[in-house]
């Protein structure tokens, strides 16, 4: 079926508009030539903070880069992402170093000690100039919220990290100082969640 004159006019206007947008995008991309490691924060009450970080880890593996994942809360359960990443030992280490959420452990002193061990491991990888292209600190924001670690230590490590190293931090309630220090901040907002309707966490979706 041949197009009507009205459709021809609509298509012509659309093509002209897309050419303008294409030219503007080309100019914008041409102006952005700097490359450096980014500080990335995924926060907010919605689902997807860790999932997004692990997606970046998968991309890094695809480019032959090396990633260290340190989990500050999770540790007591097996997850699908760990099973996948363990298949790429030359490109990623996946270290669940937590002992569960603080309302489950109910031992503040132990939570602080566990957080310290995990942070020292993460900091060593973050500051290493010769290894690990990306360091992911999963749920570090929760540790900071409960003041298990001094925020200033994290900010100092950010300031001292090698130029090209990416640092990803996840968890709800990111402190404002961390948001200010970051290059990329995404807030996941919850619109609807099956848990509110009585659906429990399920393998492959939540873990």
């Amino acid at each position: 079926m041949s197009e009507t004159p009205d459709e021809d006019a609509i298509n012509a206007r659309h093509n002209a508009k897309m050419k303008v947008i294409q030219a503007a995008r080309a100019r914008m991309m041409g102006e952005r030539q700097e490359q450096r490691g980014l500080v990335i924060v995924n926060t907010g009450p919605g689902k997807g903070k860790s999932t997004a970080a692990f997606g970046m880890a998968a991309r890094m593996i695809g480019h032959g880069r090396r990633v260290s994942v340190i989990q500050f809360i999770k540790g007591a359960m097996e997850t699908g992402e760990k099973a996948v990443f363990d298949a790429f030992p030359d490109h990623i280490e996946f270290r669940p170093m937590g002992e569960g959420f603080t309302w489950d452990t109910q031992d503040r002193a132990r939570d602080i000690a566990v957080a310290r061990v995990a942070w020292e491991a993460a900091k060593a990888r973050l500051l290493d100039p010769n290894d690990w292209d990306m360091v992911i600190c999963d749920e570090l924001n929760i540790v900071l919220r409960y003041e298990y670690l001094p925020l200033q230590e994290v900010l100092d490590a950010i300031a001292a990290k090698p130029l090209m190293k990416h640092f990803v931090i996840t968890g709800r309630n990111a402190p404002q100082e961390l948001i200010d220090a970051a290059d990329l901040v995404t807030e996941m907002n919850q619109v609807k969640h099956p848990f509110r309707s009585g659906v429990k966490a399920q393998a492959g979706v939540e873990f």
Side-chain angles (χ1 to χ4, degrees):
M1 178 183 294
S2 62
E3 295 180 334
T4 67
D6 285 344
E7 289 174 329
D8 290 340
I10 291 171
N11 289 337
R13 288 196 298 272
H14 175 81
N15 291 345
K17 182 179 180 180
M18 291 304 107
K19 287 180 180 178
V20 171
I21 293 174
Q22 182 184 50
R25 292 286 300 177
R27 285 195 302 271
M28 182 179 68
M29 297 301 290
E31 293 168 355
R32 287 154 175 78
Q33 297 297 321
E34 180 184 2
Q35 283 190 302
R36 58 182 171 84
L38 301 178
V39 177
I40 300 168
V41 175
N42 295 339
T43 192
K47 174 177 165 48
K49 297 176 288 292
S50 298
T51 306
F54 300 153
M56 284 189 285
R59 285 177 172 170
M60 294 293 282
I61 292 172
H63 287 286
R65 309 290 178 83
R66 301 193 73 226
V67 184
S68 174
V69 178
I70 306 294
Q71 292 193 291
F72 281 77
I73 302 298
K74 301 179 184 75
M77 64 184 297
E78 289 296 320
T79 61
E81 54 265 26
K82 184 178 188 304
V84 171
F85 289 144
D86 282 350
F88 299 90
D90 293 337
H91 293 94
I92 187 167
E93 64 166 8
F94 198 94
R95 302 184 63 181
M97 299 185 70
E99 293 186 344
F101 291 99
T102 185
W103 52 83
D104 290 325
T105 60
Q106 299 183 14
D107 187 338
R108 181 174 180 274
R110 185 168 180 83
D111 288 344
I112 291 173
V114 169
R116 170 57 59 184
V117 172
W119 171 242
E120 292 301 326
K123 183 169 66 174
R125 286 152 177 76
L126 184 64
L127 299 181
D128 186 334
N130 301 314
D131 213 347
W132 308 112
D133 300 291
M134 175 180 283
V135 176
I136 297 174
C137 286
D138 188 34
E139 306 288 13
L140 176 57
N141 285 334
I142 294 176
V143 169
L144 295 174
R145 179 188 182 190
Y146 285 103
E147 298 183 344
Y148 294 164
L149 286 173
L151 172 60
Q152 191 59 50
E153 284 193 35
V154 177
L155 298 176
D156 290 345
I158 288 173
K161 76 175 184 66
L163 178 64
M164 296 306 297
K165 187 165 297 191
H166 301 294
F167 184 28
V168 184
I169 300 168
T170 76
R172 296 184 180 206
N173 303 114
Q176 187 60 50
E177 295 90 338
L178 183 59
I179 290 173
D180 293 341
D183 299 289
L184 173 61
V185 180
T186 300
E187 183 173 11
M188 277 68 168
N189 291 314
Q190 181 172 292
V191 176
K192 192 174 184 180
H193 198 295
F195 187 78
R196 302 291 183 184
S197 302
V199 180
K200 70 177 184 177
Q202 299 179 73
V205 178
E206 298 286 349
F207 59 88

